[in-house]
Amino acid sequence: MADIPNGGQVEVKGSGAKPYILKNTGGVYSCSCPAWRNQSEPIERRTCKHLRKVRGDDAENARLGAAASRAAASAPNSPTNRVATSKRASSASSDGKAPPVLLAHSWENDTDLTGWWMSEKLDGVRAYWDGTRFLSRQGNPFYAPDWFTEQLPDYPLDGELFGGRKKFQRTVSIVRRQDQSDDWKELAFVIFDAPSLDAPFEDRIAHVQQFVDDVAPSYAEWLPHEPCQGVQHLRSELARVEGLGGEGLMLRQPGSRYEVGRSYTLLKVKSFHDDEARVIGHQPGAGRHKGRLGALEVELRNGTRFSVGTGLSDAERGNPPPLGSIITFRYQELSNDGVPRFPSYVGVRIDAEPWEPQAQRKRS
């Protein structure tokens, strides 16, 4: 059957006067119908009867892997007894259990960071290698090609799938695909820890460096660290990294062990704040943006609503993030009402846990 080309869209007549719009954005398919928008699955794992009508059940099942049966069950008039044609996609599907990763707190100028291990905060996608596959923070698999992972070890590694500074959205579009595309050649797995090694951080990062030096994997590298010499050194390094388009810095406490969850042994330092919001609407553009997106209407987890109209490329305005997707944005500060000031769009998150709109939570 005919497919939707990357970046393209097709119209399918529904029960109403307006047709439904089906899109393919970097291998992620979406539909404007309520059945697709109201599913609780991450956007890259949703389907509906309209996508199945255009692409066919076999193509949709192969795309979704083992999740196809669950998604198909929520799509009216679609069969649920087919199996995925991709054995790898089926075997690599996540059981939904989040990996045991270490998470950072923000530095609030209340800790002397002299002697801490300092590295660049990469603007990529966090990836936990469990010895056989990559998992997101939420436990969803990333479908990396065999040639990308063939030299990785059979023990866990913590790192980032990184496509370069200022390329977060491009990295996301590659990582979220399920067709094991050659686009993965644009990425590297940058390793910054070995979670299973019960040793101080210095020994763990030395182990990572030794592995990379000995094996020389084609698509993996270790993340360099240097001792922080004090606040002045921290500020100058932060300015240098941000001047190059980097996101900020990470600081590791000397001698610290790998912990699960948020820990004050790992701190992030940035000039701007960032947060996540759920897309709840699309505001039409005006002027040169007439006929495409003007701004995203979004909602924070606490129900605060506002608009994000800067940071979007022309391509993203023409094919904006679907309703229900989770985006990352940067801002300078919060107003007295808790609204982010000067929010700027960064990209769609694929490793964030979705949440219900505030109105639905109140009703329940």
Side-chain angles (χ1 to χ4, degrees):
M1 302 181 70
D3 202 353
I4 306 171
N6 187 16
Q9 64 181 45
V10 299
E11 295 184 356
V12 173
K13 182 172 176 55
S15 56
K18 293 181 63 177
Y20 294 125
I21 306 299
L22 282 61
K23 298 180 180 179
N24 174 7
T25 307
V28 177
Y29 292 80
S30 64
C31 180
S32 61
C33 74
W36 187 91
R37 287 188 285 110
N38 294 333
Q39 291 176 42
S40 60
E41 293 277 359
I43 59 174
E44 69 273 9
R45 304 185 70 162
R46 301 180 190 177
T47 189
C48 67
K49 66 180 181 181
H50 308 107
L51 284 169
R52 291 180 175 278
K53 179 179 179 181
V54 171
R55 304 194 68 237
D57 286 320
D58 288 342
E60 280 295 272
N61 287 341
R63 178 175 70 88
L64 299 171
S69 59
R70 297 194 299 272
S74 63
N77 304 321
S78 61
T80 60
N81 59 348
R82 295 178 182 264
V83 297
T85 58
S86 169
K87 182 178 180 181
R88 177 178 174 84
S90 178
S91 62
S93 63
S94 172
D95 58 7
K97 185 177 181 181
V101 296
L102 171 65
L103 302 174
H105 282 285
S106 295
W107 182 56
E108 303 293 348
N109 294 282
D110 56 353
T111 302
D112 181 4
L113 298 179
T114 302
W116 285 49
W117 293 99
M118 184 168 60
S119 64
E120 180 175 346
K121 186 180 189 302
L122 302 179
D123 194 13
V125 176
R126 182 76 173 271
Y128 184 92
W129 173 255
D130 70 356
T132 60
R133 59 181 177 170
F134 288 121
L135 295 173
S136 75
R137 282 173 46 187
Q138 302 303 324
N140 297 316
F142 296 138
Y143 298 92
D146 290 339
W147 47 260
F148 191 92
T149 64
E150 62 184 357
Q151 293 175 293
L152 295 180
D154 59 0
Y155 53 83
L157 295 172
D158 194 2
E160 195 105 347
L161 293 168
F162 184 58
R165 301 184 183 105
K166 298 183 179 181
K167 294 184 178 180
F168 172 74
Q169 196 54 42
R170 174 59 178 165
T171 301
V172 169
S173 69
I174 295 172
V175 170
R176 75 192 310 174
R177 295 181 70 111
Q178 299 184 6
D179 57 1
Q180 301 173 341
S181 164
D182 280 349
D183 290 347
W184 279 78
K185 292 179 180 178
E186 300 178 28
L187 307 181
F189 179 44
V190 183
I191 310 165
F192 44 68
D193 217 322
S196 61
L197 186 62
D198 185 17
F201 172 71
E202 293 82 355
D203 293 343
R204 299 198 309 273
I205 196 63
H207 175 81
V208 169
Q209 180 180 1
Q210 191 66 50
F211 160 73
V212 173
D213 290 346
D214 290 347
V215 178
S218 302
Y219 297 96
E221 56 191 69
W222 65 284
L223 182 64
H225 293 69
E226 64 173 315
C228 178
Q229 300 170 14
V231 174
Q232 184 175 353
H233 183 206
L234 176 75
R235 296 296 186 191
S236 63
E237 180 64 10
L238 179 63
R240 184 190 72 83
V241 168
E242 291 183 338
L244 293 172
E247 188 175 354
L249 299 176
M250 301 297 295
L251 279 296
R252 304 294 298 265
Q253 186 180 54
S256 58
R257 257 39 183 200
Y258 194 93
E259 302 178 39
V260 179
R262 296 207 177 273
S263 170
Y264 285 100
T265 66
L266 176 64
L267 299 175
K268 55 185 175 181
V269 182
K270 302 169 64 175
S271 295
F272 289 88
H273 304 286
D274 60 33
D275 203 348
E276 296 169 354
R278 176 189 174 97
V279 178
I280 60 173
H282 295 151
Q283 296 180 1
R288 77 180 190 91
H289 296 314
K290 186 176 181 179
R292 55 185 179 176
L293 179 75
L296 294 170
E297 298 177 21
V298 300
E299 180 184 70
L300 298 177
R301 292 180 185 270
N302 64 7
T304 300
R305 295 186 174 188
F306 57 98
S307 298
V308 179
T310 61
L312 293 145
S313 67
D314 288 344
E316 288 161 338
R317 292 185 186 276
N319 191 14
L323 301 183
S325 56
I326 308 300
I327 68 162
T328 294
F329 66 94
R330 294 194 177 107
Y331 65 99
Q332 291 187 2
E333 60 185 353
L334 293 176
S335 70
N336 292 336
D337 296 328
V339 177
R341 293 185 183 273
F342 310 109
S344 178
Y345 174 83
V346 175
V348 175
R349 290 299 300 262
I350 62 174
D351 57 354
E353 185 175 359
W355 64 86
E356 291 182 348
Q358 180 77 357
Q360 292 185 17
R361 295 202 297 272
K362 288 181 178 179
R363 286 199 299 268
S364 61

